[in-house]
Amino acid sequence: MTAAQTLRAALSGGKLFTAMAAHNPLSAKLAERAGFDGIWGSGFELAASYAVPDANILSMGTHLEMIRAIAATVSVPVIADIDTGFGNAVNVHYIVPQYEAAGAAAIVMEDKTFPKDTSLRAGGRQELVRIEEFQGKVAAAVAARRNKDFVVVARVEALIAGLGPDEALQRAEAYVQAGADAILIHSKQRAPDEILSFVRAWPGHAPLVLVPTAYPQLTEADIAALGKVGIVIYGNHAIRAAVGAMEKVFAQIRRDGGIRQVDAELPSVRHIMDLQGDDRMRDVEARFLK
Ligand code: SPV
Ligand code: MG
């Protein structure tokens, strides 16, 4: 089974698929080892790892290279966050085969204008393109994929933009009509009510994708019980975990004036070498270094 087939089977299989964010192959490998079903190739995490805002400041090529490197490292499906598609339907038509060739199993494309502003920022610039324009972008993605198993997810930002549930439902339905395999519905409200009422109102013509960053009280069991959600994405927990761990250790080294104290608390160098695939290299060495 290809990664795209695995993801597609999960979407129709009725069991919630869990995707953890990653910003490089190492974070993706850790997520796979921890037992997540797939990787979210997050634009937010990539931007954060370059210490720039998640606002199309990095190029498509930088994101594509991240996806290629992650897909070469893990065997679980990789869901590529292509933001707004890096332009209009023409851009989308060109980039989708590139993401497929890079090893992605799916793309998620959002209905905001290019360049985007990040969704969870309070007071961010959240402008949406016309429904017809985004339908064209979804249709371009569907038409451009080389393999019919490649999953095209349309992301509705109407709730993020404050346009209300009717607009969100209308857009979601329109994007399914344009060929989207699933709908990501995003919300930044600090309680799950807005999302829950969308899910209840959704007629279910395609599975939903949720990103519960803003409403973390909603568990996987809660989401699975809703019955209409195929994928849950943990959108930024790899980079937040990394930042928290680095801040703590760096501060302690400055406090202690050395590394003696932190050394025992940190993963060993051997553990890092294992993650680097050291065993494989030793094997290659033994077989081919004559
Ligand atoms: C990302 O992780 O890049 C996302 C999710 O798109 S969010 O940051 O919540 O918009
Ligand atoms: Mg993103």
Side-chain angles (χ1 to χ4, degrees), residues 10-16 196 199-200 202-208 210 220-231:
L11 271 177
S12 56
K15 186 175 166 287
L16 187 65
L196 291 177
V199 175
R200 284 191 201 103
W202 177 239
H205 297 144
L208 297 174
L210 299 189
E220 288 172 18
D222 298 332
I223 295 170
L226 296 171
K228 297 177 192 171
V229 182
I231 304 175

Side-chain angles (χ1 to χ4, degrees), residues 60-78:
M60 185 272 270
T62 306
H63 185 260
L64 184 64
E65 276 315 308
M66 176 187 83
I67 296 294
R68 199 189 311 282
I70 288 175
T73 302
V74 297
S75 32
V76 291
V78 178

Side-chain angles (χ1 to χ4, degrees), residues 63-285:
H63 185 260
L64 184 64
E65 276 315 308
M66 176 187 83
I67 296 294
R68 199 189 311 282
I70 288 175
T73 302
V74 297
S75 32
V76 291
V78 178
I79 303 169
D81 170 14
I82 66 164
D83 292 338
T84 66
F86 301 97
N88 63 19
V90 175
N91 300 76
V92 172
H93 200 270
Y94 274 87
I95 68 171
V96 162
Q98 296 186 46
Y99 275 89
E100 252 186 301
I107 50 119
V108 172
M109 180 171 64
E110 63 201 57
D111 57 359
K112 292 210 295 252
T113 53
F114 176 90
K116 61 167 275 178
D117 197 355
T118 199
S119 298
L120 297 179
R121 184 179 183 280
R125 262 181 305 104
Q126 307 298 342
E127 290 153 16
L128 272 50
V129 296
R130 287 175 300 106
I131 293 179
E132 295 73 20
E133 181 179 344
F134 198 69
Q135 281 184 304
K137 292 175 79 167
V138 170
V142 170
R145 67 184 165 195
R146 303 260 154 87
N147 191 318
K148 62 177 177 21
D149 293 316
F150 189 76
V151 177
V152 173
V153 182
R155 167 166 160 177
V156 176
E157 292 279 289
L159 301 178
I160 293 284
L163 298 177
D166 292 345
E167 177 81 14
L169 282 162
Q170 190 195 350
R171 283 179 174 264
E173 196 59 60
Y175 304 159
V176 172
Q177 277 167 21
D181 297 303
I183 295 293
L184 190 157
I185 179 70
H186 207 7
S187 165
K188 62 178 174 221
Q189 283 199 3
R190 305 296 304 169
D193 313 26
E194 183 177 56
I195 279 293
L196 291 177
S197 62
F198 180 95
V199 175
R200 284 191 201 103
W202 177 239
H205 297 144
L208 297 174
V209 180
L210 299 189
V211 187
T213 311
Y215 46 94
Q217 57 275 52
L218 205 67
T219 66
E220 288 172 18
D222 298 332
I223 295 170
L226 296 171
K228 297 177 192 171
V229 182
I231 304 175
V232 59
I233 290 174
Y234 298 117
N236 50 33
H237 298 77
I239 198 81
R240 287 164 68 193
V243 166
M246 283 191 271
E247 284 178 341
K248 186 163 160 276
V249 169
F250 295 171
Q252 190 176 340
I253 296 171
R254 290 308 337 123
R255 261 197 318 275
D256 296 347
I259 56 175
R260 193 173 64 158
Q261 191 64 31
V262 292
D263 195 61
E265 296 163 22
L266 287 171
S268 67
V269 175
R270 179 66 237 178
H271 182 55
I272 305 301
M273 287 178 179
D274 285 344
L275 289 164
Q276 289 176 291
D278 191 62
D279 287 353
R280 176 180 168 193
M281 179 174 157
R282 298 309 141 201
D283 179 51
V284 172
E285 256 178 12

